[in-house]
């Protein structure tokens, strides 16, 4: 088992949690809340296509292949 | 400002039902789909169905020409931290994927998810979260519709 690899993943997970907590401080705070980010992605003319493709690919990759 | 009128019991019940019914459906679907093993026909079908459903929903419900959601007011770079995190995760995923050695030495998100998928309830949880995210994508994109023009008091609907 590679400890440095898992340590980096754990660090990235920790940063994710910190951002999630930070986004809940106040409405309109920075960083934006996850659903605000999702809304921005889902309303971009090109980003929304990439979002749907990415969602489908993740599901297929993880559960079907 | 007048306080909003409380929703009638019927409306409240319908509203609750419209929230909890899809969640219950997603939980049930996840529990069923988690039984299917990857690389089998049932897994293909059970994964393809939500993908097809989402494609149909976004075609039907999303506006043809969306207006990108405005960033929160008075906030500088509201998305920057998330973009940096996303880039860092993708970069590390690619570095681990390309690294020489076993997958145990260089785990990717996929290999870690595969390890977790051996546990039925964890796999069901992942499928539920994936379905929930799909529902959120449809809902968030739908809110991009241009607001209806304001009616004057005497105007009939």
């Amino acid at each position: 088992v590679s400890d440095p690899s898992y340590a980096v993943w754990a660090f990235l997970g920790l940063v994710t949690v910190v951002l999630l907590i930070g986004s809940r401080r106040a409405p309109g705070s920075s960083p934006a809340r996850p659903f605000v980010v999702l809304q921005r992605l889902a309303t971009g003319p090109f980003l929304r296509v990439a979002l749907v493709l990415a969602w489908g690919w993740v599901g297929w990759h993880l559960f079907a292949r | 400002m007048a306080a909003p009128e409380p929703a009638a019991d019927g409306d409240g019940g319908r509203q609750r039902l419209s929230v909890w019914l899809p969640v219950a459906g997603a939980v049930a679907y996840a529990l069923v789909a988690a039984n299917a093993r990857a690389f089998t026909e049932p897994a293909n079908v059970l994964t393809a169905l939500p993908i097809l459903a989402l494609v149909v929903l976004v075609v039907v419900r999303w506006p043809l020409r969306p207006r990108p959601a405005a960033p929160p007011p008075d906030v500088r770079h509201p998305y920057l931290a998330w973009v940096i995190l996303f880039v860092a995760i993708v970069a590390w995923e690619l570095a681990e994927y390309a690294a020489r050695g076993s997958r145990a030495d260089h785990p990717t998100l996929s290999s870690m998810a595969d390890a977790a998928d051996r546990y039925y309830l964890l796999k069901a949880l992942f499928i539920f979260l994936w379905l929930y995210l799909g529902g959120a994508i449809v809902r968030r994109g739908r809110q991009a519709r241009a607001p209806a023009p304001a009616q004057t008091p005497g105007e009939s609907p």
Side-chain angles (χ1 to χ4, degrees), chain B residues 23-111:
Chain B
V23 171
V27 169
Y29 196 92
L31 289 172
V32 171
N35 283 307
R37 292 179 58 194
F39 299 104
T40 63
E41 196 69 21
N44 289 347
V45 171
L46 287 166
T47 308
L49 284 176
I51 294 174
L52 287 176
L54 185 115
V55 169
V56 170
L57 282 172
V58 299
V59 168
V60 170
R61 295 194 168 187
W62 279 7
L64 193 61
R65 292 182 183 79
R67 293 186 316 160
D74 303 329
V75 179
R76 295 182 67 184
H77 311 303
Y79 311 119
L80 183 63
W82 291 110
V83 171
I84 291 172
L85 176 65
F86 178 75
V87 170
I89 288 174
V90 170
W92 186 242
E93 170 82 1
L94 291 175
E96 290 289 87
Y97 183 74
R100 292 187 177 194
S102 70
R103 194 49 69 215
D105 286 336
H106 299 284
T108 59
L109 284 175
S110 304
S111 67

Side-chain angles (χ1 to χ4, degrees), chain A residues 7-22:
Chain A
V8 173
W9 281 123
F11 173 73
L12 291 170
L14 184 67
V15 172
T16 304
V17 172
V18 168
L19 286 185
L20 285 172
I21 293 170

Side-chain angles (χ1 to χ4, degrees), chain A residues 2 5-6 8-9 16 19 28 30-32 35 37-40 42-43 48 51-52 55-56 59-65, chain B residues 39 44 47 51 62-64 66 68-69 75-78 82 85 92-93 96 105 107 110 114 117 130 134 140 143-144:
Chain A
S2 172
S5 288
Y6 284 104
V8 173
W9 281 123
T16 304
L19 286 185
S30 183
F35 282 115
V37 180
L38 190 62
Q39 184 155 10
R40 177 63 187 86
T43 55
R48 64 179 184 165
L51 181 65
V52 169
W55 178 84
W60 192 260
H61 181 60
L62 290 182
F63 310 123
R65 303 230 257 303
Chain B
F39 299 104
N44 289 347
T47 308
I51 294 174
W62 279 7
L64 193 61
V75 179
R76 295 182 67 184
H77 311 303
W82 291 110
L85 176 65
W92 186 242
E93 170 82 1
E96 290 289 87
D105 286 336
S110 304
D114 282 347
D117 277 356
W130 178 64
R140 293 286 157 170
Q143 289 175 351

Side-chain angles (χ1 to χ4, degrees), chain B residues 3-22:
Chain B
E5 288 182 22
D9 281 351
D11 288 346
R14 260 196 300 276
Q15 208 168 6
R16 276 195 296 274
L17 205 64
S18 70
V19 171
W20 287 109
L21 204 60

